[in-house]
């Protein structure tokens, strides 16, 4: 890996982790979860996460809407009115000057994404690596969001791998 | 007599755990909104910390990133207030 690739990789990881933390902070979650990593991956400039999800009819907006719906439905199940206003991520909230902390599942997904990057021989981490790794989570918010969107986890993972293979071939 | 709030029966484990996450998230949103409001209304970090049962430093560390960036004018004012 050239110095230039390495620097680009560091920038990508930084953007991903900062973005995930910002998403979590804005949503009122203590720590970034897998769903926040995926939202941050959608915003990465490589565009691979967005490309794969578009193939399943999922956009940034529909993913956010499904996430809000999953939480609202969960609240309704215990008798709380589900019409919770979703916070605005772009409202200039800042991430504190501290090291990256995440939920154990998000940490695991991030490690899986970097392992996938290495095994695929990619020069740098791409959004599709993150989405593919996120699909390994069997229980929790992200699988529920995919279910709400009618997206099959295994099919999404396969589409990510296909996209990454195409990307590697150039 | 006040109505007793009962913990809902767990019929569906997945749904119950999802509700726990959603309730925690809702509580965090309420906490953040209340703290931002309190600081805007002139509360100190010590006031906020005492109310929430944490130290002023812990309150500042947790909630300061939620506050809008202070304007240069207000920064100057707060420096003058400290002197």
């Amino acid at each position: 890996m050239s110095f230039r690739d390495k620097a680009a990789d560091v920038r990508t990881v930084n953007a991903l982790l900062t973005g995930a933390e910002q998403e979590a902070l804005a949503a009122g979650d203590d720590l970034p979860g897998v769903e926040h990593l995926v939202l941050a991956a959608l915003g990465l400039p490589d565009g691979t996460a967005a490309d794969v999800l578009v193939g399943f009819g999922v956009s940034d907006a529909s993913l956010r809407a499904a996430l809000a719906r999953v939480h609202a439905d969960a609240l309704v199940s215990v008798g709380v009115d589900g019409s919770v206003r979703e916070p605005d991520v772009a409202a200039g909230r800042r991430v504190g000057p501290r090291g990256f902390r995440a939920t154990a599942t998000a940490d695991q997904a991030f490690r899986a994404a970097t392992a996938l990057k290495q095994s695929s021989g990619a020069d740098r981490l791409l959004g599709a690596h993150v989405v593919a790794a996120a699909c390994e989570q069997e229980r929790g918010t992200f699988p529920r969001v995919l279910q709400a969107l009618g997206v099959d986890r295994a099919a999404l993972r396969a589409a990510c791998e296909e996209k990454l293979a195409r990307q590697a071939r150039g | 007599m006040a109505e007793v709030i009962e913990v809902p029966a767990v019929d569906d484990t997945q749904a119950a755990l999802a509700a726990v996450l959603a309730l925690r998230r809702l509580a965090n949103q309420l906490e953040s909104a209340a703290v931002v409001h309190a600081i805007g209304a002139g509360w100190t970090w010590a006031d906020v910390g005492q109310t929430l049962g944490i130290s002023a430093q812990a309150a500042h560390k947790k909630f300061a990133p939620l506050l809008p960036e202070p304007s240069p004018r207000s920064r100057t004012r707060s420096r003058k207030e400290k002197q």
Side-chain angles (χ1 to χ4, degrees):
Chain A
M1 187 192 270
S2 70
F3 180 76
R4 201 172 165 171
D5 288 336
K6 186 102 183 153
D9 196 40
V10 170
R11 274 199 302 275
T12 304
V13 169
N14 203 26
L16 176 73
L17 301 184
T18 309
E21 201 160 4
Q22 214 149 13
E23 292 284 351
L25 189 67
D29 288 305
D30 280 332
L31 293 169
V34 174
E35 64 279 15
H36 303 119
L37 270 181
V38 172
L39 284 169
L42 267 171
L44 289 178
D46 64 74
T48 54
D51 283 351
V52 173
L53 283 164
V54 159
F56 289 83
V58 178
S59 64
D60 180 277
S62 66
L63 188 66
R64 286 178 193 281
L67 180 58
R69 201 162 62 243
V70 160
H71 285 306
D73 290 348
L75 288 175
V76 168
S77 76
V78 287
V80 178
D81 177 7
S83 59
V84 180
R85 184 187 60 84
E86 278 305 296
D88 180 7
V89 184
R93 288 158 190 264
R94 295 167 290 133
V95 174
R98 58 171 191 262
F100 178 71
R101 297 177 310 131
T103 58
T105 44
D107 191 50
Q108 199 179 358
F110 176 65
R111 284 167 199 271
T114 50
L116 189 61
K117 179 203 92 175
Q118 271 161 358
S119 66
S120 68
D123 290 336
R124 57 183 158 135
L125 188 68
L126 300 170
H129 288 124
V130 178
V131 178
C135 289
E136 287 176 19
Q137 191 189 10
E138 292 177 13
R139 295 180 195 280
T141 305
F142 186 61
R144 289 174 81 87
V145 168
L146 289 183
Q147 200 178 9
L149 288 163
V151 174
D152 180 70
R153 228 161 25 92
L156 180 58
R157 163 108 193 175
C160 287
E161 285 170 353
E162 200 180 311
K163 175 81 183 170
L164 290 165
R166 273 204 310 274
Q167 195 89 0
R169 286 194 297 269
Chain B
M1 197 174 139
E3 191 186 340
V4 176
I5 298 174
E6 289 187 11
V7 174
V10 177
D11 301 320
D12 177 343
T13 310
Q14 290 235 44
L17 291 175
V20 170
L21 285 182
L23 284 167
R24 209 174 274 162
R25 195 168 183 258
L26 182 62
N28 285 341
Q29 288 173 349
L30 178 61
E31 185 185 51
S32 299
V35 171
V36 169
H37 187 266
I39 295 296
W43 284 40
T44 63
W45 289 113
D47 295 333
V48 171
Q50 199 172 49
T51 310
L52 293 175
I54 55 177
S55 69
Q57 289 81 0
H60 180 268
K61 188 179 174 191
K62 183 172 181 184
F63 300 108
L66 298 176
L67 300 176
E69 289 273 11
S71 66
R73 209 176 145 194
S74 68
R75 272 203 295 267
T76 312
R77 200 171 56 229
S78 57
R79 265 204 302 274
K80 277 182 183 164
E81 280 165 5
K82 279 183 190 167
Q83 285 165 2

